[in-house]
């Protein structure tokens, strides 16, 4: 085998290290400058492995995996998940760090904070020496190789498990030899040059507006990029597609892209918290809004999940009937989602006649095809209530930790799952009597028999659809562990009745019944629901959920539909988030910990600010956390001082200097570069949202406004307008280009902040036909276009998008300046923050002096840095400290 490696390639280390570690018999060849790659599909900088068969592998991770396969090590679900994570999460952060280190001479470790934390948590959680077990695997080699160029000269800001793993990999003979081979001093210049030619990496989330990313963007642009951007600009609004407004009800249209979106049905027995909202309805809403902007024929349905044990127990607690509980909390949910501006086409509920008809039809078809089993199970029975008790109707002593109030399905103290018959001294929650164990008959879905239909469908779906890495991993784990028959009935009164003699006193289990709610809710929206749900040839189905709902949507529900032989539309794209935590802990419905939907309304913070922040911290690749301090910081630094600042300045210049009419524009090479930079970010925005990377796409929006702020600051139109004819013309060009960038941003933010988007478009009088997205940035506000009244410093963004954050600490009210300059500092706020910084600094020093746990020290240091950033912003200073004189 011949392994071709380009000097300076960022991927060179991983393939050489994998070859050494696996003992692969390869001939290492360095590519000569200008040498064409062995395959036309292979990028010049990418490594290439020529096999004896003549085939060429040029995906670095595929090459690494091939070396280990030759050694006889088959890939596992865990190693595959690590490789997917390395490619999608770690590589962009590492490239950003390498840019900072090699191109700008700055440390880049900060960009790796979240990825390093993920690795550390995985090592601690699994208790193993390596990422996928107790022995080194391809996952260790690939992840180490990506980290090593950044961390080799840096102290690793992590606890012992991560440090130990990194040291063991670095000092292994194979990895050390690979590093000595690839990272020779003579290759560093090529390495830097190669980095500059690669696409601009995404900056880390906390990149400040003053960073030097503009220089990097400029180097990455080509003459062709700028020429294409200018050509698109000159074509004007006529180049945009005409907005599509589907008739009501929305139904699939022949020849169009028909997108059906569902979010996991929120359970009706409580108020949703922020973690529920971002995991389901808000993420789906952002994507649905994007789909509509793309002119895709889109239907977004959701509703409350209302059957099951939890509803009956809640009804007992509140002294209401199950129906009254459902009516009460359905209205609460609907009101919260209405306030968050969730754009459902229909928000329904599962307690409808359509739910009964469709659920029973699916069950009867499954039974007719032999996919339903009957079996006897042992269950607790209450003689006083004369009923078998479902798990939530039983409490007792936990058999594992002896907690006195463990539920019949799980112990709240130790967290372990429980079979109700295992409880010690069980008691009925309805009458406090002592139930006894009795045998009872239940129905089961024969998943092992359905697996032969499930497997080929999954393989095809994964090959053609977009499933998040955690959704694939969880599904593989379920199948790998072996599918077992799943009970689909319960001894309850509140649920969809089972239409089978001998079982008519039972109802369907909620996880068999609830996903069918997507169908019945659509049936309540339109009598033609089957055109969506029995039309896989024309419809793409996106399911949004948190990761704990994955197996029911990727295994149980698809098996239920596949077993009917009824041509149902199955999920094409399963989008699952990780968990959103609250501050240093977790949201908890039962303990009332966190921010809940009704509380968010009462804070006085605008709904669009909540939407912006939740989507900014959306847990796409790993768990993230809501923080009041971070909400305040992002509201001020990103939403107000970056995005709001640019849009207000652009609009105000038109009003103040040019009588509210967009001035004539004479473009220069500087303007061409801005158009090209905006186009690069616009295309990246589309690429990310098409893959449902909602959080990452928001970074593109903020990057565009950062480019716009820099463009205005460099060109200083407020000064040029006072100069001669040439200077006034330049001021007009800058103002005209800037206000067109603002008009583009108004559309780009619509999936994230619909109210703010509408307000900006109204202020700028953006034509309705321009409220659509394409892949080009064009001049939609031509010379002579008149804008409306643009809000100034004390209105607009504070009222519509930048409302003050009140609990638990009031933030500084930093409105975006409408003209160059800064908002006057608030002395009382500065004093408050100065005291907090001093107090937190003392805390950190004491922890270090006492030799406290490294993880705790790092956590407190993070809080100190956040406070310092807030203080800098309150003082109208750069949150990243003073900058050199060479950059303005």
């Amino acid at each position: 085998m011949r392994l071709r490696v380009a000097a300076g390639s960022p991927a060179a280390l991983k393939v050489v290290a994998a070859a050494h570690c696996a003992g692969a018999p390869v001939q290492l060849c360095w590519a000569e400058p200008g040498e064409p790659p062995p395959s036309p599909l292979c990028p010049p900088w990418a490594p290439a492995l020529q096999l004896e068969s003549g085939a060429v592998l040029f995906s670095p991770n595929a090459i690494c995996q091939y070396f280990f396969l030759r050694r006889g090590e088959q890939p596992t679900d865990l190693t595959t998940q690590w490789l997917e994570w390395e490619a999608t999460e770690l590589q962009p952060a590492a490239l950003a760090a390498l840019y900072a280190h090699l191109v700008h001479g700055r440390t880049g470790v900060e960009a790796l904070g979240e990825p390093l934390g993920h690795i550390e948590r995985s090592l601690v959680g699994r208790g193993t020496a390596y990422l996928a077990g107790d022995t080194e695997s391809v996952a260790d080699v690939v992840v180490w190789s990506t980290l090593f160029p950044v961390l080799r000269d840096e102290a690793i800001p992590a606890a012992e498990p991560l440090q130990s793993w990194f040291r063991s990999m670095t000092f292994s003979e194979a990895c050390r030899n690979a590093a000595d081979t690839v990272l020779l001093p003579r290759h560093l210049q090529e390495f830097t040059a190669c980095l500059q030619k690669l696409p601009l990496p995404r900056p880390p989330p906390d990149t400040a507006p003053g960073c030097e990313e503009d220089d990097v963007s400029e180097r990455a642009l080509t003459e062709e990029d700028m020429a294409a951007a200018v050509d698109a600009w000159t074509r004007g609004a006529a180049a945009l597609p005409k907005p599509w407004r589907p008739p009501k009800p929305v139904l699939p249209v022949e020849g169009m892209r028909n997108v059906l979106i569902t979010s996991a049905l929120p359970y009706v027995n409580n108020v949703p918290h922020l973690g529920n909202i971002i995991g389901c309805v808000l993420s789906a809403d952002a994507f649905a809004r994007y789909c509509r902007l793309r002119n895709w024929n889109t239907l977004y349905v959701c509703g409350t999940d209302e059957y099951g044990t939890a509803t009956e127990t809640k009804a007992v607690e509140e002294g209401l009937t199950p129906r009254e509980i459902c009516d009460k909390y359905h209205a609460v949910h609907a009101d919260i989602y209405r306030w968050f501006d969730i754009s459902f086409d229909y928000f329904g509920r599962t307690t409808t006649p359509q739910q009964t008809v469709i659920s029973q039809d699916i069950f009867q078809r499954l039974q007719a095809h032999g996919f339903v089993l009957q079996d006897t199970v042992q269950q607790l029975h209450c003689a006083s209530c004369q009923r078998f008790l479902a798990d939530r109707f039983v409490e007792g002593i936990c058999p594992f930790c002896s907690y006195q109030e463990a539920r019949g399905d799980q112990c709240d103290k130790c967290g372990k799952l429980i079979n109700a018959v295992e409880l010690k001294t069980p008691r009925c929650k309805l009458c406090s009597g002592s139930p006894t164990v009795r045998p009872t008959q239940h129905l089961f879905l024969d998943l092992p028999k359905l697996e032969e239909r499930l497997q080929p469908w999954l393989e095809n779906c994964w090959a053609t659809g977009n499933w998040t890495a955690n959704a694939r991993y969880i599904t593989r784990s379920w199948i790998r562990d072996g599918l077992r028959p799943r009970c689909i009935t319960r001894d309850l009164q509140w649920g969809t009745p089972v239409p089978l003699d001998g079982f008519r006193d039972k109802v369907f289990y909620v996880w068999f019944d609830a996903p069918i709610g997507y169908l019945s809710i659509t049936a309540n929206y339109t009598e033609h629901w089957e055109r969506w749900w029995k039309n896989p040839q024309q419809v793409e189905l996106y399911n949004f959920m948190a990761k704990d709902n994955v197996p029911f949507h990727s295994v149980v529900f698809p098996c239920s539909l596949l077993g009917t032989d009824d041509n149902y539309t199955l999920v094409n794209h399963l989008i699952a988030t990780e968990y959103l935590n609250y501050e240093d802990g977790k949201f908890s419905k039962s303990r009332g910990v966190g921010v809940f939907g009704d509380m968010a309304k009462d804070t006085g913070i605008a709904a669009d600010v909540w939407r912006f922040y939740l989507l900014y911290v959306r847990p796409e690749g790993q768990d993230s956390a809501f923080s009041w301090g971070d909400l305040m910081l992002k509201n001020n630094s990103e939403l107000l001082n970056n995005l709001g600042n640019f849009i207000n300045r652009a609009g105000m210049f038109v009003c103040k200097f040019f009588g509210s009419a967009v001035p004539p524009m004479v473009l220069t090479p500087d303007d061409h570069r801005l158009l090209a930079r905006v186009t690069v970010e616009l295309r990246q925005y589309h690429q990310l949202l098409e893959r449902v990377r909602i959080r990452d796409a928001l970074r593109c929006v903020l990057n565009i406004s950062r480019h716009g702020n820099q463009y205005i600051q460099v060109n200083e139109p407020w000064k040029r307008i006072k100069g001669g004819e040439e200077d006034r013309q330049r001021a007009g060009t800058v103002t005209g280009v800037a206000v067109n960038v603002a008009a583009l941003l108004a559309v780009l933010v619509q999936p994230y902040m619909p109210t703010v988007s509408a307000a900006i478009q109204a202020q700028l009088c953006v034509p309705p036909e321009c409220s659509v997205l394409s892949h080009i940035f064009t001049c939609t506000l031509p010379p002579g276009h008149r804008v409306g009244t643009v809000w100034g410093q004390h209105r607009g963004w504070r009222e519509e998008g930048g409302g003050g954050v009140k609990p638990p600490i009031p933030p500084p009210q930093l409105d975006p300046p409408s003209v160059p300059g800064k908002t006057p500092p608030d002395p009382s706020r500065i004093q408050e923050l100065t005291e907090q910084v001093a107090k937190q600094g003392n805390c950190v020093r004491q922890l270090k002096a006492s030799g406290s746990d490294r993880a705790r020290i790092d956590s407190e240091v993070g809080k100190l840095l956040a406070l310092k950033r807030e203080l800098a912003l309150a003082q109208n200073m750069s949150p990243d400290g003073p900058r050199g004189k060479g950059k303005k």
Side-chain angles (χ1 to χ4, degrees):
M1 296 182 293
R2 182 175 183 268
L3 179 60
R4 173 193 178 274
V5 177
S9 167
L13 179 59
K14 72 166 65 168
V15 295
V16 174
H20 284 312
C21 291
V26 299
Q27 176 189 1
L28 182 61
C29 304
W30 292 97
E32 295 295 328
E35 176 186 340
S39 167
L41 299 177
C42 178
W45 53 266
L49 179 66
Q50 292 180 294
L51 307 179
E52 291 87 345
S53 64
V56 177
L57 299 179
F58 54 83
S59 166
N61 284 6
I63 293 172
C64 296
Q65 201 163 43
Y66 180 79
F67 289 149
F68 279 77
L69 278 170
R70 280 183 60 96
R71 197 169 78 171
E73 294 185 16
Q74 294 293 325
T76 66
D77 290 331
L78 192 52
T79 58
T80 300
Q81 187 185 33
W82 275 113
L83 295 187
E84 291 176 349
W85 175 81
E86 186 272 345
T88 58
E89 300 292 333
L90 180 60
Q91 277 191 39
L95 281 177
L98 284 170
Y99 259 106
H101 180 58
L102 294 177
V103 178
H104 295 303
R106 301 196 305 265
T107 179
V109 177
E110 295 84 359
L112 294 174
E114 288 190 5
L116 290 176
H118 176 67
I119 298 171
E120 182 179 327
R121 288 190 296 272
S122 298
L123 290 169
V124 172
R126 299 183 188 282
T128 56
Y130 294 92
L131 299 180
D134 291 319
T135 58
E136 176 186 283
S137 71
V138 64
D140 299 281
V141 176
V142 168
V143 172
W144 172 84
S145 301
T146 302
L147 289 173
F148 182 76
V150 185
L151 298 182
R152 60 181 180 142
D153 297 324
E154 301 281 352
I156 305 176
E160 178 58 26
L162 176 55
Q163 293 180 354
S164 177
W165 168 81
F166 188 77
R167 282 196 302 268
S168 65
M169 293 298 298
T170 300
F171 294 137
S172 70
E173 182 178 357
C175 290
R176 190 170 61 250
N177 290 341
D180 290 342
T181 301
V182 173
L183 298 179
L184 295 172
R186 68 174 182 270
H187 291 323
L188 287 179
Q189 185 175 356
E190 292 92 339
F191 196 41
T192 304
C194 183
L195 281 173
Q196 292 175 333
K197 294 175 184 176
L198 291 177
L200 176 67
R202 297 297 92 208
D206 289 328
T207 298
C211 74
E212 296 177 356
E213 66 184 50
D214 286 344
D215 288 348
V216 181
S217 298
E218 187 168 348
R219 284 196 198 96
L221 296 175
T222 67
E223 293 297 329
E224 292 77 10
D225 292 332
M226 290 186 281
V230 173
D231 176 67
W233 169 268
T234 56
R235 290 159 61 190
L240 296 175
K242 300 301 180 187
W244 160 255
R245 299 290 182 265
K248 302 296 182 181
V250 182
L251 296 172
V253 176
E254 184 78 33
M256 291 192 70
R257 183 172 182 179
N258 299 294
V259 177
L260 175 58
I261 298 173
T262 70
S263 57
L265 305 181
Y267 206 75
V268 78
N269 71 327
N270 50 39
V271 179
H273 58 62
L274 298 184
N276 304 137
I277 291 169
I278 187 59
C280 302
V281 297
L282 179 54
S283 293
D285 178 67
F287 184 68
R289 289 177 177 276
Y290 171 73
C291 292
R292 296 177 188 125
L293 287 173
R294 291 295 305 277
N295 278 345
W296 299 341
N297 188 42
T298 304
L299 178 68
Y300 175 23
V301 296
C302 187
T304 43
D305 177 11
E306 301 188 351
Y307 283 134
T309 318
T311 301
E312 282 200 38
T313 56
K314 188 69 171 181
V316 172
E317 288 175 14
E318 297 197 13
L320 301 172
T321 66
R323 169 60 68 185
E324 289 171 336
I325 283 289
C326 292
D327 291 344
K328 172 183 175 179
Y329 283 99
H330 174 80
V332 169
H333 278 262
D335 184 54
I336 289 171
Y337 302 141
R338 193 179 303 113
W339 185 81
F340 271 95
D341 210 354
I342 307 298
S343 61
F344 302 119
D345 289 288
Y346 188 76
F347 183 73
R349 51 201 306 185
T350 56
T351 51
T352 65
Q354 288 87 344
Q355 176 77 8
T356 300
V357 170
I358 298 172
S359 297
Q360 291 183 345
D361 177 68
I362 289 174
F363 166 75
Q364 288 167 336
R365 288 175 180 273
L366 288 168
Q367 186 193 26
H369 294 144
F371 295 124
V372 176
L373 304 175
Q374 298 184 20
D375 200 2
T376 300
V377 298
Q378 299 297 315
Q379 194 169 341
L380 292 173
H381 182 272
C382 180
S384 298
C385 298
Q386 296 186 344
R387 63 185 293 177
F388 283 98
L389 300 178
D391 44 30
R392 291 290 183 100
F393 283 111
V394 186
E395 285 184 346
I397 300 174
C398 175
F400 302 103
C401 71
S402 298
Y403 178 57
Q404 296 291 312
E405 298 180 358
R407 299 196 313 265
D409 59 346
Q410 188 174 14
C411 174
D412 281 339
K413 183 176 181 181
C414 68
K416 292 187 177 180
L417 298 178
I418 299 173
N419 186 335
V421 297
E422 298 173 342
L423 288 171
K424 299 176 183 177
T425 60
R427 58 187 177 275
C428 173
K429 286 189 66 175
L430 300 176
C431 70
S432 299
S434 299
T436 57
V437 177
R438 288 189 186 180
T440 181
Q441 286 282 309
H442 278 286
L443 299 173
F444 291 75
L445 182 64
D446 194 350
L447 291 179
K449 192 173 181 180
L450 285 159
E451 188 171 355
E452 63 184 21
R453 300 188 181 198
L454 178 70
Q455 284 278 18
W457 169 75
L458 278 175
E459 293 301 326
N460 179 68
C461 192
W462 287 342
T464 59
N466 178 26
W467 287 44
T468 52
N470 57 358
R472 293 172 185 255
Y473 174 73
I474 292 168
T475 304
R476 289 193 188 104
S477 298
W478 259 55
I479 295 173
R480 180 195 62 213
D481 295 341
L483 296 181
R484 291 170 292 179
R486 184 123 190 137
C487 184
I488 59 172
T489 53
R490 288 292 187 271
D491 289 295
L492 294 171
Q493 299 170 359
W494 185 246
T496 300
V498 177
L500 184 65
D501 289 341
F503 297 88
R504 296 187 184 274
D505 58 340
K506 303 181 188 295
V507 299
F508 286 123
Y509 172 47
V510 67
W511 269 118
F512 173 78
D513 190 54
I516 299 173
Y518 302 133
L519 284 63
S520 71
I521 288 169
T522 310
N524 277 278
Y525 169 68
T526 172
E527 61 180 332
H528 304 294
W529 65 274
E530 292 183 344
R531 290 177 59 181
W532 285 107
W533 285 103
K534 294 187 180 181
N535 189 6
Q537 296 78 20
Q538 288 187 331
V539 173
E540 284 183 74
L541 174 57
Y542 286 79
N543 285 166
F544 285 79
M545 67 201 67
K547 64 181 179 182
D548 54 345
N549 286 345
V550 165
F552 305 104
H553 289 80
S554 66
V555 177
V556 178
F557 186 42
C559 280
S560 300
L561 298 182
L562 287 166
T564 64
D565 285 331
D566 206 13
N567 196 40
Y568 275 105
T569 301
L570 301 178
V571 60
N572 304 95
H573 314 276
L574 202 157
I575 313 301
T577 62
E578 299 292 323
Y579 293 135
L580 179 72
N581 295 318
Y582 177 71
E583 296 286 354
D584 295 329
K586 294 183 177 181
F587 285 91
S588 172
K589 295 178 182 177
S590 59
R591 291 181 286 115
V593 175
V595 181
F596 292 75
D598 51 353
M599 294 167 56
K601 291 174 55 180
D602 296 337
T603 60
I605 305 170
D608 270 17
V609 175
W610 285 108
R611 288 177 61 106
F612 169 83
Y613 181 70
L614 290 174
L615 291 165
Y616 189 98
V617 298
R618 183 175 183 262
E620 291 189 352
Q622 61 190 49
D623 291 357
S624 61
F626 168 86
S627 160
W628 284 106
D630 191 51
L631 169 62
M632 177 182 68
L633 181 64
K634 296 301 186 297
N635 175 62
N636 285 289
S637 64
E638 292 288 10
L639 189 53
L640 295 179
N641 290 350
N642 176 14
L643 186 62
N645 182 45
F646 170 70
I647 290 174
N648 274 338
R649 292 172 82 183
M652 289 292 288
F653 291 156
V654 178
C655 294
K656 184 175 181 179
F657 301 145
F658 300 98
S660 298
V662 176
M665 291 167 273
V666 180
L667 301 186
T668 68
D670 284 344
D671 306 315
H672 300 168
R673 276 188 287 274
L674 177 67
L675 300 184
R677 288 177 195 155
V678 171
T679 300
V680 168
E681 295 292 348
L682 174 61
R683 289 176 178 170
Q684 181 74 3
Y685 170 92
H686 283 299
Q687 291 170 9
L688 290 166
L689 275 175
E690 286 170 4
R691 303 197 326 261
V692 203
R693 300 290 295 273
I694 301 170
R695 179 197 64 196
D696 293 341
L698 180 55
R699 305 294 196 268
C700 297
V701 177
L702 298 174
N703 287 341
I704 290 174
S705 61
R706 265 191 276 274
H707 289 315
N709 276 314
Q710 180 73 6
Y711 173 73
I712 288 176
Q713 204 66 30
V714 168
N715 285 281
E716 300 180 321
W718 63 92
K719 291 184 180 179
R720 293 181 180 270
I721 197 66
K722 301 174 183 177
E725 181 62 30
E726 184 177 341
D727 276 343
R728 290 197 298 274
Q729 183 184 74
R730 183 64 190 150
T733 298
V734 172
T735 299
V737 171
V739 80
N740 271 278
V741 174
L744 173 66
L745 285 169
V747 182
L748 292 178
V749 302
Q750 202 265 2
Y752 301 91
M753 298 182 289
T755 302
V756 165
S757 171
I760 299 169
Q761 293 188 61
Q763 291 174 48
L764 301 181
C765 299
V766 176
E769 60 269 20
C770 295
S771 187
V772 66
L773 282 176
S774 75
H775 285 72
I776 63 171
F777 172 38
T778 189
C779 179
T780 56
L781 307 183
H785 173 88
R786 299 195 65 83
V787 303
T789 301
V790 177
W791 289 329
Q793 184 170 343
H794 298 293
R795 295 185 59 208
W797 283 82
R798 178 178 294 174
E799 296 172 3
E800 293 293 333
V805 180
K806 293 181 180 178
I809 303 172
Q813 293 296 305
L814 297 182
D815 282 331
S818 57
V819 295
K822 299 290 185 180
T823 303
D826 181 350
S828 62
R829 179 58 181 163
I830 291 174
Q831 178 63 30
E832 177 186 351
L833 286 170
T834 300
E835 293 172 358
Q836 291 181 20
V837 167
K839 182 178 178 181
Q840 186 65 18
N842 288 332
C843 174
V844 170
R845 283 189 289 273
Q846 290 172 8
L847 289 173
K848 289 181 177 179
S850 63
S852 294
D853 177 72
R854 180 67 185 178
R856 186 182 175 193
I857 293 175
D858 289 344
S859 174
E860 297 302 323
V861 169
K863 294 177 183 178
L864 176 61
L865 293 175
L867 285 170
K868 287 183 175 180
R869 288 176 61 84
E870 293 172 34
L871 177 59
L873 288 169
Q875 294 170 324
N876 282 335
M877 296 170 59
S878 168
D880 288 338
R883 301 175 52 205
K885 296 181 180 180
K887 180 75 177 172
K888 292 185 178 180

